[in-house]
Short mmCIF file of all heavy atoms in Angstrom, two decimals:
data_model
loop_
_atom_site.label_atom_id
_atom_site.label_comp_id
_atom_site.label_asym_id
_atom_site.label_seq_id
_atom_site.Cartn_x
_atom_site.Cartn_y
_atom_site.Cartn_z
N ASP A 546 17.07 16.73 -22.41
CA ASP A 546 16.62 17.61 -23.52
C ASP A 546 15.59 16.86 -24.25
O ASP A 546 15.72 15.75 -24.58
CB ASP A 546 17.87 17.92 -24.36
CG ASP A 546 18.72 19.00 -23.75
OD1 ASP A 546 18.20 20.07 -23.30
OD2 ASP A 546 19.94 19.00 -23.73
N GLU A 548 14.86 16.94 -27.22
CA GLU A 548 15.14 16.31 -28.48
C GLU A 548 15.87 14.93 -28.36
O GLU A 548 16.10 14.25 -29.34
CB GLU A 548 16.10 17.27 -29.29
CG GLU A 548 17.33 17.83 -28.63
CD GLU A 548 17.61 19.22 -29.21
OE1 GLU A 548 16.89 20.14 -29.16
OE2 GLU A 548 18.76 19.25 -29.78
N ARG A 689 13.34 19.24 -20.88
CA ARG A 689 13.89 20.67 -21.07
C ARG A 689 13.77 20.89 -22.59
O ARG A 689 14.32 20.20 -23.29
CB ARG A 689 15.33 20.83 -20.48
CG ARG A 689 15.89 22.17 -20.88
CD ARG A 689 17.32 22.34 -20.17
NE ARG A 689 18.19 21.31 -20.54
CZ ARG A 689 19.21 20.98 -19.92
NH1 ARG A 689 19.45 21.47 -18.78
NH2 ARG A 689 19.97 19.97 -20.37
N ASN A 691 15.12 24.25 -24.69
CA ASN A 691 15.70 25.63 -24.58
C ASN A 691 15.06 26.35 -25.55
O ASN A 691 14.78 25.99 -26.66
CB ASN A 691 17.25 25.52 -24.82
CG ASN A 691 18.01 24.74 -23.77
OD1 ASN A 691 17.50 24.59 -22.61
ND2 ASN A 691 19.18 24.29 -24.06
C1 LIG B 1466 19.96 23.65 -23.00
O1 LIG B 1466 20.55 24.48 -22.04
C2 LIG B 1466 21.29 23.85 -20.99
C3 LIG B 1466 21.63 24.93 -19.94
O2 LIG B 1466 22.01 26.01 -20.39
C4 LIG B 1466 22.46 23.12 -21.58
O3 LIG B 1466 23.25 22.38 -20.59
C5 LIG B 1466 21.92 22.16 -22.69
O4 LIG B 1466 23.00 21.55 -23.18
C6 LIG B 1466 21.06 22.88 -23.72
N1 LIG B 1466 20.42 21.90 -24.61
C7 LIG B 1466 20.43 22.09 -25.87
C8 LIG B 1466 19.79 20.95 -26.67
O5 LIG B 1466 20.90 23.05 -26.52
#
Side-chain angles (χ1 to χ4, degrees):
D546 281 315
E548 54 206 65
R689 170 176 61 201
N691 296 340

